[in-house]
Amino acid sequence: HVQLVESGGGSVQPGGSLRLSCAASGYTYSSICMAWFRQAPGKEREAVATIYIAFRPDDQRTHYADPVKGRFTIPPGNATNTVSLQMDSLKPEDTAMYYCAASGNCLNYNYWGQGTQVTVS
């Protein structure tokens, strides 16, 4: 049973930075996609960053949604059981609950963390 635990949320002023982490356990895939989603009150959940991690640690591919491109980064060198999200130049519109999710086929995200709140004001 895959379990995901996020940490690192909090409150920050506009222009500030936060780093989120997601610790995964219990999966047996040789490769995995992990993603960060966010959901603000009254809005639909959206994916902000995705990383594909193959068995080889140097085979990683990332994708970022347009609203966060150039500001959010999944640092390289993530192990298959820990993924971080570095968020810089934060804006008030980044305020949301952030969720870590995992998928064995990179299509259906079946595993979710409990979420961590990010507030920018």
Side-chain angles (χ1 to χ4, degrees):
H1 178 66
V2 178
Q3 290 187 314
L4 303 174
V5 179
E6 303 101 334
S7 61
S11 296
V12 67
Q13 293 182 344
S17 297
L18 284 174
R19 187 178 181 112
L20 307 182
S21 291
C22 176
S25 62
Y27 68 87
T28 58
Y29 302 106
S30 59
S31 63
I32 193 170
C33 275
M34 296 186 74
W36 288 96
F37 288 78
R38 69 183 181 187
Q39 187 167 23
K43 295 188 177 181
E44 293 188 357
R45 185 175 59 197
E46 61 175 348
V48 297
T50 304
I51 182 167
Y52 167 77
I53 304 173
F55 179 73
R56 287 170 45 198
D58 60 349
D59 184 6
Q60 300 180 359
R61 281 158 268 174
T62 54
H63 178 268
Y64 302 96
D66 287 343
V68 307
K69 204 169 289 184
R71 301 187 297 119
F72 290 13
T73 306
I74 297 178
N78 289 278
T80 52
N81 61 345
T82 303
V83 174
S84 298
L85 181 68
Q86 179 66 38
M87 305 185 295
D88 298 318
S89 302
L90 283 161
K91 303 176 181 180
E93 51 264 44
D94 295 319
T95 295
M97 185 70 79
Y98 282 71
Y99 298 90
C100 175
S103 168
N105 61 13
C106 300
L107 294 175
N108 303 307
Y109 284 87
N110 296 318
Y111 307 106
W112 293 84
Q114 81 286 356
T116 185
Q117 178 68 38
V118 171
T119 302
V120 185
S121 64

